[in-house]
Amino acid sequence: MLRSCAARLRTLGSRRTRVPPPGGGPRGARRSFASEEVIDKDHALPNPSWSTDLRFLFDQFMKKCEEGSWKRLPSYKRNSTQKFQDFKTHYVDPKLLKEEQMPGAQLFTRSFEDGLGFEYVMFCNDVENRVVCFFQGGPHLQGMPGFTHGGAIAAIIDATVGTCAFRARGIVMTANLNINYKRPIPLRSVVVINSQLDKVEGRKVFVSCDVRSVKEETLYSEATGLFITLDPNKKLT
Amino acid sequence: MLRSCAARLRTLGSRRTRVPPPGGGPRGARRSFASEEVIDKDHALPNPSWSTDLRFLFDQFMKKCEEGSWKRLPSYKRNSTQKFQDFKTHYVDPKLLKEEQMPGAQLFTRSFEDGLGFEYVMFCNDVENRVVCFFQGGPHLQGMPGFTHGGAIAAIIDATVGTCAFRARGIVMTANLNINYKRPIPLRSVVVINSQLDKVEGRKVFVSCDVRSVKEETLYSEATGLFITLDPNKKLT
């Protein structure tokens, strides 16, 4: 059985890595340690930029976590989770790894300063094959004046349905993303992305979602995603 | 007739705004001036982060501009072009404008430091109803290790097909975006997004594009976009 979400939260708020300090010596080690602290911060936790709405939804689902049916998903700037380690080991041509290890590579949806870009937290329910994402778009995600960019909405939808597919079937890549934009999303407002696994056909994983206002009365977008589970015998190049 | 692209480039490299300095007094004015210089920088011009490939494509199309058939599209962090002014004046509920004027709102695809996010330049051919975008994804756009995030690809596709629709029919909003991802795009590689207007039916504007490698031998993605021209009698709220 999983530990309760609250217990996980206490241990997952920060991560320890075993990466050796790049600079060497005590001074380099100190700099490296400081850097790791920032890199390994779990960003799927409240920060001062979160609105009352986002905080409310977070608290509501943290209670569901304590009941055991839902689980909060931590989220980091660096792709150093087991999922990404497995991807690098089994699915990608080693010649690409050097490229990936360049300084500064960060997960797109976590590459903004707190409050400026994608503020979000995802919760999963692995029994019901669902992932819920609470998302607040910051001022650096603007499209037309006053509204969130359609590309930023596509990005957080891709992240959510991709996570839903991953929870069900392991490492996948997006094959198709089809988004209907019903209404523009005002910048800085909070939306709820509700995704669920629809079906699995061989290596194809079908997921869908809708994007609604906090009280669910406004439908902003609907989307479907098709994901393909990767074949370790066919390395990505 | 349009001036040659080279002549436009000389004048469009930086923009003068008539926004009064917010601080007032000589010291405030100086700070404001410095700030405007950064905000109004045209980002659709080469910077040191551009790879040889991106620079090559840029130079190639600048020559086409001199011949008169193509035009380079300048691009800014702030939405202060005539397009965005018209949008604010005619299509959006004034109560949203206050929100938009919050400090720091920036165009999503231009909100990164040079080289870290979306490096791109678009060229349009209004006779053929085409827009070409040359795009290099920086280290802050990572999805799976070593590859560009599917959401970042969706964002630059949305920006490109949206520009194509705008050139043809004026101010539009994305109604549908349908993307087929054929192959993952290695981080930092340059791709060419070729978009064209397919048809117009009343207020519906249909655009499509493909995303290929520099030499066009690799097809990374294909996409269609449906855009709706806005009705000034129905304000967005």
Side-chain angles (χ1 to χ4, degrees):
Chain A
M1 289 294 288
L2 290 169
R3 286 175 295 162
S4 79
C5 206
R8 290 180 59 79
L9 185 58
R10 283 193 294 275
T11 55
L12 289 174
S14 62
R15 263 192 321 179
R16 301 281 173 97
T17 61
R18 298 189 184 195
V19 180
R27 194 168 169 186
R30 277 201 299 275
R31 281 205 303 272
S32 168
F33 180 73
S35 165
E36 280 174 24
E37 285 299 295
V38 173
I39 288 165
D40 285 332
K41 180 182 164 191
D42 179 359
H43 289 269
L45 290 169
N47 69 51
S49 80
W50 283 29
S51 66
T52 311
D53 280 344
L54 187 54
R55 185 63 203 236
F56 169 78
L57 292 166
F58 175 84
D59 290 343
Q60 196 177 45
F61 265 68
M62 289 305 287
K63 283 182 194 150
K64 286 180 192 275
C65 288
E66 287 177 17
E67 293 159 14
S69 52
W70 290 81
K71 184 174 148 189
R72 187 186 67 90
L73 297 171
S75 177
Y76 308 94
K77 283 183 188 284
R78 282 282 179 109
N79 289 335
S80 53
T81 60
Q82 192 58 46
K83 167 186 172 184
F84 294 112
Q85 292 303 328
D86 287 349
F87 174 79
K88 288 196 283 190
T89 306
H90 300 298
Y91 300 101
V92 67
D93 189 313
K95 74 183 178 189
L96 266 175
L97 293 181
K98 198 173 173 189
E99 187 79 4
E100 183 271 326
Q101 285 165 345
M102 64 188 166
Q106 294 185 5
L107 184 65
F108 173 45
T109 51
R110 290 297 182 196
S111 65
F112 292 79
E113 295 297 313
D114 281 357
L116 294 183
F118 298 89
E119 289 296 335
Y120 66 97
V121 55
M122 293 186 199
F123 293 87
C124 69
N125 182 323
D126 290 336
V127 176
E128 298 177 7
N129 289 313
R130 291 175 58 196
V131 169
V132 173
C133 174
F134 303 125
F135 165 62
Q136 172 185 303
H140 283 195
L141 304 190
Q142 187 168 244
M144 295 303 272
F147 295 97
T148 310
H149 195 291
I153 298 164
I156 196 69
I157 285 176
D158 180 51
T160 305
V161 291
T163 300
C164 191
F166 167 72
R167 299 294 309 175
R169 304 296 288 181
I171 291 172
V172 294
M173 295 282 274
T174 316
N176 177 268
L177 197 61
N178 191 345
I179 303 171
N180 285 316
Y181 297 89
K182 304 281 190 185
R183 285 175 66 91
I185 299 176
L187 209 56
R188 289 178 107 177
S189 61
V190 174
V191 296
V192 178
I193 306 171
N194 248 305
S195 71
Q196 72 271 322
L197 178 72
D198 292 330
K199 62 177 174 177
V200 176
E201 289 178 355
R203 290 172 55 204
K204 294 182 181 175
V205 186
F206 296 84
V207 185
S208 61
C209 76
D210 60 25
V211 183
R212 291 180 178 273
S213 55
V214 172
K215 291 178 182 169
E216 303 206 2
E217 75 279 26
T218 304
L219 174 64
Y220 288 115
S221 306
E222 291 174 315
T224 59
L226 167 61
F227 296 84
I228 307 291
T229 55
L230 295 184
D231 179 352
N233 297 317
K234 291 181 184 173
K235 300 268 187 198
L236 296 168
T237 54
Chain B
M1 289 292 289
L2 289 170
R3 285 175 296 162
S4 78
C5 206
R8 289 179 60 78
L9 185 58
R10 282 194 295 275
T11 56
L12 289 175
S14 65
R15 263 189 323 179
R16 301 280 173 98
T17 61
R18 298 187 184 196
V19 180
R27 193 168 170 187
R30 278 202 298 276
R31 280 207 301 272
S32 170
F33 180 74
S35 166
E36 280 175 24
E37 286 298 295
V38 173
I39 288 166
D40 286 331
K41 181 182 163 191
D42 179 358
H43 288 269
L45 290 169
N47 69 50
S49 79
W50 283 29
S51 67
T52 311
D53 279 344
L54 188 54
R55 185 64 203 236
F56 170 78
L57 292 166
F58 176 82
D59 290 342
Q60 196 177 46
F61 265 67
M62 289 307 285
K63 283 183 193 150
K64 286 180 194 275
C65 288
E66 288 178 16
E67 293 159 14
S69 53
W70 289 82
K71 185 174 148 189
R72 185 186 68 90
L73 297 172
S75 178
Y76 308 95
K77 282 182 188 285
R78 283 280 178 110
N79 289 334
S80 53
T81 60
Q82 191 58 45
K83 166 186 172 184
F84 295 112
Q85 292 303 328
D86 287 349
F87 174 80
K88 287 196 284 191
T89 306
H90 301 297
Y91 301 101
V92 66
D93 190 315
K95 75 182 178 191
L96 266 175
L97 292 181
K98 198 174 172 189
E99 187 79 4
E100 183 271 325
Q101 284 165 346
M102 65 186 164
Q106 294 186 3
L107 183 65
F108 173 45
T109 52
R110 290 297 182 196
S111 66
F112 291 80
E113 295 296 314
D114 282 356
L116 294 182
F118 298 90
E119 290 296 335
Y120 66 97
V121 55
M122 293 186 199
F123 293 87
C124 70
N125 182 324
D126 289 336
V127 176
E128 298 177 7
N129 289 313
R130 291 174 58 196
V131 168
V132 173
C133 175
F134 303 126
F135 164 62
Q136 172 186 303
H140 284 196
L141 304 189
Q142 188 168 247
M144 295 303 273
F147 295 97
T148 310
H149 196 289
I153 298 165
I156 196 69
I157 285 175
D158 181 50
T160 305
V161 291
T163 300
C164 191
F166 167 72
R167 299 294 309 177
R169 304 296 289 181
I171 292 171
V172 294
M173 295 282 275
T174 316
N176 176 266
L177 197 61
N178 191 345
I179 303 171
N180 285 316
Y181 296 88
K182 304 282 189 183
R183 285 174 67 90
I185 298 177
L187 208 56
R188 290 178 107 178
S189 62
V190 175
V191 297
V192 178
I193 306 171
N194 248 305
S195 71
Q196 71 271 323
L197 178 73
D198 291 331
K199 62 178 175 178
V200 176
E201 290 178 354
R203 289 171 58 205
K204 294 182 181 175
V205 186
F206 297 83
V207 186
S208 60
C209 75
D210 60 25
V211 183
R212 290 180 179 272
S213 56
V214 172
K215 292 180 181 169
E216 303 206 2
E217 75 279 27
T218 304
L219 174 64
Y220 288 115
S221 306
E222 291 174 314
T224 59
L226 167 60
F227 295 84
I228 308 291
T229 56
L230 295 184
D231 180 352
N233 297 316
K234 292 181 183 171
K235 301 270 188 197
L236 297 168
T237 54

